[in-house]
Amino acid sequence: MRLLLALGLLAALAACAPIPMREPPARNAIAVGPQPAANLSEGCVADYRPGADYFPDKAAFQHSAQLKVEYHKNWKRVTFTPSVDTRETLRLVLVQCGTPPPKLGARDSLVEVPVRDFATANVSLLGAAHLLGIDDRLKGVPTRDVSIPAIAARIERGETIPIYAAQHGNGEQAAALGADLFFTFYSAYPDANIHPLLKRLGVVSAPQSDHTEPTPLGRAEWIKYIALFFNLEARANGLFEERAARYEALRVLAAGVEARPLVQLGYPESRDEWSQAGGRNQLYRLVEDAGGRHAWQDNPIAGSLTYAPMEKLFDRAASADVWLGNFMPGAADIAALRRDHPRLEWLRAVRNSQVYWFDAGKVGPFANSWSDQGMTEPQDALAELIAILHPELLAAPARPRFIRKIPGGPA
């Protein structure tokens, strides 16, 4: 965690160049008639009728443990209850523009929809934005390094501004962008969350916490959450259902395996500390659905863990068959891994060269296909992991999208 905070500070210092203030685009007024046939994805209602249902296309959350949405005639309320222990619940009231807002509760935040433009401090949102077709509304991203060609091209042309916000965000730069909405990275550490600061700055924000979902499909459902702000529920529902069906077919394929390899997640954050996802994080469910098992089933944390001294890791995971590194970039090869972290030689997976990392498609220090697109493509990650753990069920893809084998040693 200290490393992440230090990186955030350095990124903020590197972002001293001013961001040009921009005037928000004008909203169009559209006559929709007595009953809209579909959600209004652009513009405002010009002929409001109190009895009309302005959201005929609706979404529901069946897999997410953190989200729920309720619909009313001209507004919808999204409730976010974090799976990490920050002891708060956030409620967002999304009102169709051109219609009157409801009476707000003390904890409600008002957002006019459809959102015209937005920025994000969380790269995991980018894959969903691209699938939903809202790249052209993206004003700010946390980094210049993006694995999605269409968004990378926008950054190169200066149409989308890198705000160098690390993960947790940069309040001042978010305010300077002048976007309708700023998606924040929601941290398990309350002091790192910037939505209270954004509120004081007058910036409308929404939390993004897909990474702490307990299941991969719960995480993938966050595409529906993003769609709510753009009235794109119908599109998001179709995208999610297609991916969920493929994921379920793969899960069933691996469900009957007899031998389940032991998998260790995480990475060495420093010489003496090991960081990994908690035992109730969606990454461990991915391992289980791929026909593996893990040593942290009794751990109730949905966020991340840090073990110091590292011997706590060895107590449980020294015998793991596979080490699956996540978040931080992996080593160039096994020799480099052994040189930089000699004690990791105690891990059976290192000795047997069964080390894999979620850093395929790397485009920058912390940018790769998994960071940008892993939220919305769990079926591809599951297929790759099944091929690693059970090659008798699936052949490994010629060019993995997410998971790279650290070269060196046995194939």
Side-chain angles (χ1 to χ4, degrees):
M1 184 62 195
R2 289 195 295 271
L3 175 61
L4 287 177
L5 293 175
L7 288 170
L9 177 60
L10 290 173
L13 293 174
C16 294
I19 290 177
M21 297 290 288
R22 299 182 181 181
E23 290 296 323
R27 286 190 181 271
N28 297 324
I30 300 172
V32 298
Q35 179 55 58
N39 294 4
L40 199 63
S41 61
E42 293 185 12
C44 298
V45 173
D47 54 346
Y48 170 64
R49 291 173 170 83
D53 181 1
Y54 288 96
F55 305 115
D57 301 323
K58 296 175 172 61
F61 296 100
Q62 284 93 27
H63 299 272
S64 172
Q66 303 178 101
L67 297 171
K68 70 176 182 178
V69 60
E70 57 187 85
Y71 283 86
H72 301 267
K73 294 296 185 181
N74 68 306
W75 58 279
K76 43 195 171 182
R77 178 185 283 119
V78 188
T79 301
F80 166 57
T81 305
S83 59
V84 291
D85 189 20
T86 54
R87 300 183 181 181
E88 70 173 340
T89 297
L90 300 180
R91 291 197 290 263
L92 300 162
V93 174
L94 282 53
V95 180
Q96 171 61 53
C97 67
T99 73
K103 183 179 180 180
L104 299 180
R107 296 183 179 181
D108 292 340
S109 296
L110 181 67
V111 184
E112 280 197 325
V113 297
V115 166
R116 295 167 294 184
D117 49 24
F118 68 105
T120 178
N122 190 350
V123 292
S124 71
L125 176 148
L126 299 180
H130 181 64
L131 289 172
L132 291 170
I134 52 176
D135 300 10
D136 59 342
R137 306 190 196 191
L138 181 57
K139 294 182 70 172
V141 291
T143 175
R144 176 171 291 279
D145 299 319
V146 173
S147 74
I148 301 167
I151 296 178
R154 286 184 56 84
I155 296 170
E156 187 65 26
R157 294 193 299 266
E159 297 167 350
T160 297
I161 305 297
I163 60 176
Y164 299 103
Q167 288 280 6
H168 295 81
N170 185 314
E172 292 79 2
Q173 298 218 20
L177 282 172
D180 276 355
L181 184 66
F182 186 80
F183 287 99
T184 67
F185 178 91
Y186 192 87
S187 174
Y189 301 90
D191 291 345
N193 283 317
I194 69 165
H195 55 274
L197 168 63
L198 293 176
K199 190 171 185 177
R200 292 196 297 272
L201 292 173
V203 177
V204 180
S205 68
Q208 178 82 2
S209 190
D210 57 282
H211 57 290
T212 59
E213 285 288 342
T215 68
L217 289 182
R219 185 185 185 209
E221 260 195 328
W222 280 73
I223 192 172
K224 298 181 187 179
Y225 168 79
I226 296 161
L228 292 171
F229 297 91
F230 301 89
N231 288 347
L232 293 173
E233 283 94 327
R235 187 179 302 176
N237 287 341
L239 289 165
F240 174 79
E241 288 164 9
E242 176 185 347
R243 286 155 175 76
R246 174 60 176 158
Y247 187 97
E248 178 62 13
L250 288 166
R251 186 196 67 78
V252 170
L253 176 68
V257 296
E258 294 184 3
R260 289 181 168 263
L262 183 64
V263 178
Q264 170 60 34
L265 286 171
Y267 61 93
E269 188 168 303
S270 68
R271 182 179 179 84
D272 296 312
E273 293 182 328
W274 182 273
S275 183
Q276 66 177 54
R280 292 296 176 267
N281 186 271
Q282 46 86 27
L283 282 170
Y284 281 115
R285 182 62 175 270
L286 185 71
V287 168
E288 293 169 355
D289 288 347
R293 57 191 175 92
H294 64 86
W296 311 93
Q297 293 183 5
D298 59 337
N299 182 279
I301 295 176
S304 60
L305 306 169
T306 297
Y307 288 97
M310 201 178 288
E311 282 72 15
K312 290 185 178 181
L313 163 74
F314 300 132
D315 285 345
R316 290 201 178 194
S319 63
D321 302 288
V322 172
W323 172 16
L324 187 60
N326 59 298
F327 184 69
M328 296 285 285
D333 52 39
I334 293 291
L337 183 65
R338 288 169 167 159
R339 181 184 65 244
D340 295 341
H341 300 280
R343 286 183 297 172
L344 295 182
E345 180 72 25
W346 295 348
L347 297 178
R348 175 192 289 176
V350 174
R351 295 196 305 272
N352 293 341
S353 296
Q354 291 300 303
V355 181
Y356 299 81
W357 221 276
F358 276 104
D359 66 355
K362 178 181 174 182
V363 294
F366 298 97
N368 50 58
S369 299
W370 177 251
S371 61
D372 294 1
Q373 302 169 57
M375 181 186 89
T376 49
E377 309 294 347
Q379 75 288 348
D380 287 351
L382 181 59
E384 291 180 20
L385 190 50
I386 291 174
I388 291 168
L389 301 182
H390 298 284
E392 73 280 5
L393 297 180
L394 278 182
R399 295 187 63 183
R401 183 175 190 174
F402 295 129
I403 305 174
R404 175 180 68 99
K405 188 178 192 299
I406 303 296

